């Protein structure tokens, strides 16, 4: 059985060697043979080589992509810091002019509004200066931060847009935050909510505690996000607006996830009914 099986196997693999022993009468032997174990293994060597080369190419592309992203991040961080530096001088000058206006008297209402705008410019400059640096987090009342930012946006929104804050406690709710950067995130989400509505609707900020996390949902009654765009909303440069660089949500996600150890994602969105962005922050850093 073994010889028969081997003979059949060799016949399929190679033509036999023929050794003529005698011409007349004709006598010859046929020698059948197969590949050695080494030959059988070597035939897969080109395939293994191609696989290894393919893996090396993929690793090279991933490395180049990572390097490109790192260069982009460094560029954005450098631009942000330079912007903050350039803003510093005119802001200081404006503060001086505001103080002079307050001392001259008779223009109290104007000087107060100017002072608010100068403080706002200072806050923006401070935010830009922190990009690319590891911010210091400290125990902060998250409810107070949200209320202040909602109040700021409410004054600049249409009177037909209603704001509502739902909170788990009447007092403070402490969490490790960088107040300046967290305000930036809330401001971005609220402004996106405003842009999603045609001057009328409702924005709800719902703060709640779940296990060891503080969850903040920002919900609008706007036009919603198409399913085809959901995977792209946090990508740098992606925007559906006519103006803007598409960096707000990307930076917000980085602030929450890299600097605060939390999560920022789209909880749900339905075209024509609105969108909910969810922030999940740990109670303790």
């Amino acid at each position: 059985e073994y010889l028969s099986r081997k003979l059949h196997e060799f016949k399929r693999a190679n033509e036999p060697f023929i050794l003529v022993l005698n011409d007349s009468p004709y006598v010859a032997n046929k020698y059948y043979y197969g590949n050695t174990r080494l030959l059988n293994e070597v035939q897969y060597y080109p395939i293994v080589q191609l696989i290894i080369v393919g893996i090396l190419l993929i690793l090279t592309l991933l490395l180049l992509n990572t390097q490109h992203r790192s260069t982009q991040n460094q560029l954005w961080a450098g631009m942000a810091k330079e912007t903050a530096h350039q803003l510093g001088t005119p802001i200081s000058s404006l503060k001086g002019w505001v103080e002079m206006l307050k001392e001259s008297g008779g223009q109290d209402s104007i000087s107060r509004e100017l002072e608010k705008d100068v403080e706002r410019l200072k806050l923006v400059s401070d935010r830009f200066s922190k990009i690319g640096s590891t911010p210091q987090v400290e125990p902060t009342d998250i409810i107070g931060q949200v209320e202040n930012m909602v109040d700021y946006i409410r004054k600049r929104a249409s009177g037909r847009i209603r704001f509502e804050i739902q909170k788990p406690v009447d007092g403070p709710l402490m969490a490790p935050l960088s107040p300046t950067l967290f305000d930036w995130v809330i401001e971005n989400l609220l402004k996106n909510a405003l842009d999603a509505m045609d001057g009328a609707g409702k924005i709800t900020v719902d703060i709640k505690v779940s296990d060891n996390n503080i969850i903040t949902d920002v919900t609008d009654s706007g036009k919603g996000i198409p399913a085809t765009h959901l995977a792209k909303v946090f990508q740098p440069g992606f925007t559906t607006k006519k103006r803007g660089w598409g960096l707000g949500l990307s930076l917000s996600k980085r602030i929450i996830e890299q600097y605060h150890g939390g999560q920022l994602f789209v909880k749900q969105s339905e075209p024509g009914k609105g969108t909910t962005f969810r922030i999940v922050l740990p109670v303790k850093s």
Side-chain angles (χ1 to χ4, degrees):
E1 259 183 55
Y2 172 78
L3 289 176
S4 176
R5 188 171 67 251
K6 277 295 177 185
L7 182 60
H8 182 67
E9 180 184 318
F10 289 166
K11 282 182 177 181
R12 285 189 307 166
N14 301 294
E15 290 294 323
F17 291 118
I18 300 175
L19 178 59
V20 178
L21 300 178
N22 192 10
D23 291 327
S24 181
Y26 181 77
V27 179
N29 282 345
K30 290 183 178 179
Y31 296 90
Y32 293 91
Y33 64 96
N35 294 333
T36 64
R37 180 179 176 183
L38 180 59
L39 278 175
N40 286 330
E41 292 175 352
V42 166
Q43 67 180 338
Y44 296 109
Y45 182 69
I47 300 174
V48 174
Q49 275 191 316
L50 287 174
I51 292 173
I52 293 174
V53 169
I55 292 172
L56 289 174
L57 283 174
I58 291 171
L59 289 175
T60 302
L61 290 174
L62 288 174
L63 182 62
L64 289 173
N65 187 43
T66 302
Q67 186 179 13
H68 178 65
R69 288 186 179 181
S70 176
T71 303
Q72 279 188 323
N73 288 338
Q74 291 176 0
L75 177 62
W76 287 120
M79 288 177 62
K81 288 180 178 294
E82 181 62 21
T83 301
H85 178 70
Q86 294 295 333
L87 283 172
T89 302
I91 288 174
S92 299
S93 178
L94 284 171
K95 289 180 71 175
W97 285 110
V98 169
E99 290 301 319
M100 291 181 64
L101 189 62
K102 288 164 68 176
E103 289 179 3
S104 64
Q107 303 289 341
D108 291 342
S109 60
I110 295 176
S111 62
R112 280 196 302 269
E113 291 304 315
L114 281 175
E115 189 172 22
K116 289 179 183 178
D117 287 335
V118 170
E119 289 300 319
R120 179 66 183 168
L121 283 172
K122 185 180 177 182
L123 176 62
V124 172
S125 175
D126 187 40
R127 288 174 179 176
F128 273 88
S129 68
K130 284 181 168 60
I131 293 177
S133 305
T134 302
Q136 296 297 317
V137 297
E138 56 191 37
T140 306
D141 177 18
I142 192 170
I143 294 178
Q145 294 296 125
V146 169
E147 287 178 335
N148 289 338
M149 193 49 60
V150 169
D151 185 57
Y152 172 79
I153 297 295
R154 181 188 286 116
K155 293 176 180 177
R156 288 154 180 80
S158 165
R160 295 186 300 159
I161 293 180
R162 294 178 293 117
F163 290 84
E164 181 180 334
I165 299 177
Q166 299 173 355
K167 48 191 179 180
V169 292
D170 290 331
L173 181 61
M174 307 303 290
L177 298 175
S178 168
T180 303
L181 294 182
F182 182 74
D183 282 354
W184 196 355
V185 174
I186 297 298
E187 180 181 344
N188 273 320
L189 295 181
L190 292 174
K191 284 183 175 179
N192 278 338
L194 286 176
D195 291 337
M197 296 183 288
D198 295 327
K202 181 179 179 182
I203 297 175
T204 304
V205 182
D206 183 14
I207 306 170
K208 49 198 169 190
V209 180
S210 176
D211 297 328
N212 291 319
N213 294 317
I214 297 176
I215 297 173
T216 305
D217 288 339
V218 180
T219 304
D220 64 71
S221 59
K223 54 191 175 184
I225 302 172
T228 54
H229 290 168
L230 283 176
K232 304 177 185 177
V233 293
F234 293 108
Q235 292 180 3
F238 177 79
T239 180
T240 57
K241 305 173 189 175
K242 294 181 179 179
R243 295 185 300 113
W245 289 5
L247 296 176
L249 287 177
S250 175
L251 286 172
S252 296
K253 189 174 181 68
R254 181 173 178 176
I255 288 168
I256 293 298
E257 296 187 355
Q258 292 188 15
Y259 298 153
H260 292 86
Q263 293 176 283
L264 172 60
F265 55 91
V266 180
K267 180 191 174 188
Q268 65 87 28
S269 184
E270 188 175 347
K273 293 190 176 180
T275 302
T276 298
F277 282 90
R278 170 164 286 189
I279 302 172
V280 181
L281 291 173
V283 176
K284 297 180 180 179
S285 59

